[in-house]
């Protein structure tokens, strides 16, 4: 019979979950903050707080393309005593009753040197990371899946 470490599950290492990360929901953020050019303020992310600054509208130039965006939100915060400056590229799409649904494009760089730019409404900051990025870039999963 197999022992405790028999089969392929003996060396299985659980992935980090989204529940263990700080979350930034762009729709919640935009309910509190209007995306006006030059707007500044503070935000709170779990155990830390930071500042933000908005540039609107904004055009992202990457990989030989120009991508028109609603805004660039620049976040300033400290992680483990280190000052971090993180960009959030914000776009929108029409929603019901004339409202807008906001999206944030993931600012992470892939191994091939290209920027991710996956459209999402939540970005995550794991405990051992410095920047807010999408779930796929950090390889995060959900607790219910494990």
């Amino acid at each position: 019979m197999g022992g405790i470490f028999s089969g392929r599950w003996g060396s299985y290492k659980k992935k980090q979950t989204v529940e263990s990360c700080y979350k930034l929901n762009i729709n919640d953020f935009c309910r509190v903050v209007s995306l006006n050019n030059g707007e500044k303020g503070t935000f709170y992310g779990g155990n830390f707080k930071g500042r933000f600054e908005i540039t609107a509208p904004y055009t992202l130039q990457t990989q030989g393309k120009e991508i028109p965006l609603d805004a660039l939100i620049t976040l300033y915060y400290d992680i483990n005593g280190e000052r971090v400056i993180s960009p959030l590229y914000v776009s929108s799409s029409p929603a019901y009753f004339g409202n807008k649904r906001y999206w944030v494009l993931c600012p992470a760089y892939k191994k091939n040197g290209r920027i991710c730019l996956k459209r999402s409404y939540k970005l995550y900051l794991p405990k051992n990371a410095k920047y807010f990025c999408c779930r796929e870039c950090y390889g995060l999963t959900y607790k219910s899946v494990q």
Side-chain angles (χ1 to χ4, degrees), residues 26-143:
I26 196 64
N27 286 299
D28 291 346
F29 189 89
C30 290
R31 279 188 202 103
V32 177
V33 175
S34 58
L35 296 178
N36 295 326
N37 191 35
E39 185 170 350
K40 298 177 182 181
T42 57
F43 73 96
Y44 299 91
N47 295 338
F48 68 94
K49 75 175 194 174
R51 297 180 306 108
F52 69 87
E53 200 171 296
I54 296 176
T55 305
Y58 185 78
T59 302
L60 177 64
Q61 297 183 9
T62 182
Q63 303 161 0
K65 302 187 278 190
E66 285 189 355
I67 303 170
L69 299 171
D70 288 65
L72 165 68
I73 302 173
T74 307
L75 302 178
Y76 304 91
Y77 53 91
D78 293 324
I79 296 286
N80 297 326
E82 183 180 346
R83 171 60 84 190
V84 178
I85 301 172
S86 181
L88 298 180
Y89 306 112
V90 181
S91 66
S92 65
S93 61
Y96 295 110
F97 306 111
N99 293 327
K100 285 184 178 181
R101 178 177 176 103
Y102 290 99
W103 303 94
V104 65
L105 307 180
C106 178
Y109 281 92
K110 300 281 190 175
K111 291 179 183 175
N112 61 7
R114 292 184 168 221
I115 196 166
C116 174
L117 297 179
K118 180 186 179 300
R119 189 173 86 160
S120 178
Y121 70 94
K122 282 186 185 177
L123 292 182
Y124 301 94
L125 179 66
K127 303 267 190 275
N128 57 352
K130 293 194 315 188
Y131 300 100
F132 284 94
C133 295
C134 69
R135 187 173 61 87
E136 286 78 16
C137 284
Y138 280 129
L140 301 172
T141 188
Y142 297 99
K143 194 173 186 178

